[in-house]
């Protein structure tokens, strides 16, 4: 907030083009519909999950991730899917890890291209190298889990943790040998590219003469920063990175860049939070209860916990 002039911010809010703001907010909501399509594709070989259920779980998880530390919403959305479909919790968690590897692949490629065509801080080259190494390791581990043969049926009848492990390996093998896995990988590209549009629309609303390339680069930086534990709804780091990006890459005035960072934060955070709150209300549970149930699910090794209290 150091360079923010709140008087000027008030003037900005009175003069920005709210048509572009509405477009940005609408596309931001659409991003998570695209994510729902991808998640359904990942899980298609092992469970029939409706689009409505998937969207609701994602929005509840999104809301939880913004208000809970360490992105606790990921566990919450996995738990909800397990609750609704009897899918083992471990398989649901594994499907989210698959999504993250897919995201890492496209983020690495996008940042690699941005470093060549957009004037970005040199230090991002080291970030890109580290991301590439992480993606390579994640892809290798994922390949071992997904493309190994399915375990014998006798393994599935073993008691205790061996049974849970065998079920997980069997379901992952079904996912890995399905064409839907490759469709999900392709679906990850429009999912990420859609996230560029709200930033570009916010540029237009604010009157910045910046194109899709700048919006892509900023989106990649903000997505990578989400890995770092931070304040609820990314307040603080989101503004710092946006301000520094505009200052260093495009020589935007520090005060103007700081004010825009707040506007952009409102555009990409408020609408999804409202949608997540509505999805949570429809689900009929409290965030704290869902988080506790999800934690209990993880400690129990994947068996579905009773949910009568929710």
């Amino acid at each position: 907030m150091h360079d923010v002039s709140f008087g000027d911010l008030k003037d900005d809010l009175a003069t920005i083009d709210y048509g572009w703001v509405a477009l940005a907010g609408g596309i931001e909501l659409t991003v998570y519909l695209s994510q729902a399509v991808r998640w359904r594709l990942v899980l298609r070989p092992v469970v029939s999950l409706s689009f409505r259920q998937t969207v609701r779980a994602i929005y509840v998880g999104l809301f939880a991730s913004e208000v809970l530390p360490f992105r606790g919403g990921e566990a919450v959305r996995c738990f909800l899917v397990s609750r609704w479909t009897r899918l083992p919790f471990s398989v649901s968690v594994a499907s989210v890890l698959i999504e993250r590897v897919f995201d890492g692949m496209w983020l690495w490629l996008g940042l690699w291209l941005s470093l060549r065509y957009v004037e970005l801080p040199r230090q991002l080259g080291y970030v890109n190298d580290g991301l590439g190494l992480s993606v390579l390791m994640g892809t290798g581990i994922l390949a071992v889990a997904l493309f190994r043969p399915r375990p014998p049926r006798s393994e599935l009848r073993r008691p205790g943790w061996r049974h849970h492990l065998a079920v997980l390996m069997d379901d992952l093998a079904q996912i890995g040998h399905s064409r839907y896995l490759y469709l999900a990988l392709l679906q990850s590209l429009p999912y990420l590219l859609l996230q560029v549009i709200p930033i570009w629309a916010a540029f237009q609303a604010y009157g910045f003469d910046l194109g899709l390339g700048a919006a892509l680069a900023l989106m990649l930086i903000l997505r990578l920063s989400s890995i770092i534990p931070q304040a609820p709804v990314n307040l603080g780091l989101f503004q710092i990175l946006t301000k520094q990006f505009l200052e260093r890459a495009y020589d935007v005035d520090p005060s103007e860049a700081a004010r825009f960072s707040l506007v952009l934060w409102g555009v990409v955070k408020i609408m999804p939070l409202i949608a997540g709150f509505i999805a949570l209300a429809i689900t009929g549970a409290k965030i704290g209860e869902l988080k506790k149930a999800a934690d209990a699910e993880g400690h129990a090794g994947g068996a579905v916990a009773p949910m009568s209290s929710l």
Side-chain angles (χ1 to χ4, degrees):
M1 302 292 183
H2 175 69
D3 291 309
V4 175
S5 168
F6 287 97
D8 290 339
L9 178 62
K10 182 180 178 180
D11 293 339
D12 291 344
L13 294 176
T15 57
I16 62 175
D17 188 334
Y18 282 95
W20 285 109
V21 171
L23 174 64
I27 297 296
E28 185 66 25
L29 291 177
T30 305
V31 166
Y32 301 101
L33 303 183
S34 177
Q35 183 183 7
V37 172
R38 180 181 67 174
W39 200 20
R40 288 188 72 210
L41 286 170
V42 172
L43 290 173
R44 181 75 175 270
V46 293
V47 70
S48 178
L49 190 63
S50 74
F51 183 71
R52 180 180 177 183
Q53 288 175 320
T54 313
V55 170
R56 199 191 334 166
I58 285 174
Y59 273 120
V60 172
L62 175 68
F63 182 80
S65 287
E66 300 295 3
V67 299
L68 296 174
F70 305 110
R71 300 193 62 82
E74 299 289 24
V76 168
R77 72 165 164 129
C78 292
F79 170 73
L80 286 173
V81 166
S82 298
R83 171 195 176 190
W84 294 333
T85 65
R86 312 300 295 182
L87 180 74
F89 182 73
S90 57
V91 179
S92 184
V93 171
S95 70
V96 171
L97 295 177
I98 291 170
E99 288 186 307
R100 292 294 164 263
V101 172
F102 288 170
D103 286 344
M105 292 177 181
W106 292 113
L107 284 171
W108 173 81
L109 179 60
L111 188 56
W112 181 80
L113 291 172
S114 295
L115 286 167
R116 277 149 182 78
Y117 296 104
V118 180
E119 191 170 340
L120 297 175
R122 189 174 302 174
Q123 290 86 346
L124 283 176
Y126 301 111
V127 174
N128 195 49
D129 293 341
L131 176 61
L133 181 61
S134 299
V135 168
L136 182 62
M137 293 173 58
T139 302
I141 295 171
L142 187 64
V144 171
L146 292 176
F147 301 125
R148 60 182 297 170
R150 295 178 64 180
R153 305 307 296 179
S154 59
E155 292 288 329
L156 300 177
R157 293 191 290 269
R158 288 190 173 189
W161 65 269
R162 293 181 180 179
H163 167 76
H164 294 304
L165 179 61
V167 169
L168 173 62
M169 292 297 101
D170 185 60
D171 285 343
L172 287 178
Q174 290 185 63
I175 292 173
H177 290 84
S178 168
R179 69 181 186 278
Y180 294 111
L181 181 69
Y182 304 100
L183 293 175
L185 174 60
L186 294 176
Q187 176 62 24
S188 297
L189 181 58
Y191 162 63
L192 287 173
L193 291 179
L194 272 174
Q195 297 175 52
V196 176
I197 305 301
I199 298 175
W200 174 77
F203 286 158
Q204 309 312 306
Y206 209 76
F208 284 155
D209 186 21
L210 298 176
L212 289 170
L216 172 64
L218 181 54
M219 183 276 289
L220 293 170
I221 291 170
L222 293 174
R223 277 301 305 269
L224 288 171
S225 73
S226 66
I227 300 171
I228 304 171
Q230 50 194 287
V233 292
N234 305 129
L235 189 62
L237 186 60
F238 184 102
Q239 283 77 19
I240 290 171
L241 292 174
T242 301
K243 177 176 176 290
Q244 291 296 315
F245 171 80
L246 292 174
E247 281 187 62
R248 293 171 180 267
Y250 294 98
D251 296 321
V252 176
D253 177 75
S255 178
E256 191 173 22
R259 298 197 307 273
F260 174 79
S261 71
L262 290 172
V263 172
L264 179 62
W265 175 84
V267 166
V268 302
K269 292 296 181 181
I270 291 176
M271 289 299 292
L273 275 174
I274 293 173
F277 180 79
I278 294 171
L280 180 64
I282 293 172
T283 302
K286 296 179 180 179
I287 282 294
E289 293 174 336
L290 286 175
K291 183 63 170 63
K292 288 179 181 178
D295 290 341
E297 186 90 353
H299 293 313
V304 177
M307 286 293 296
S308 57
S309 61
L310 302 181

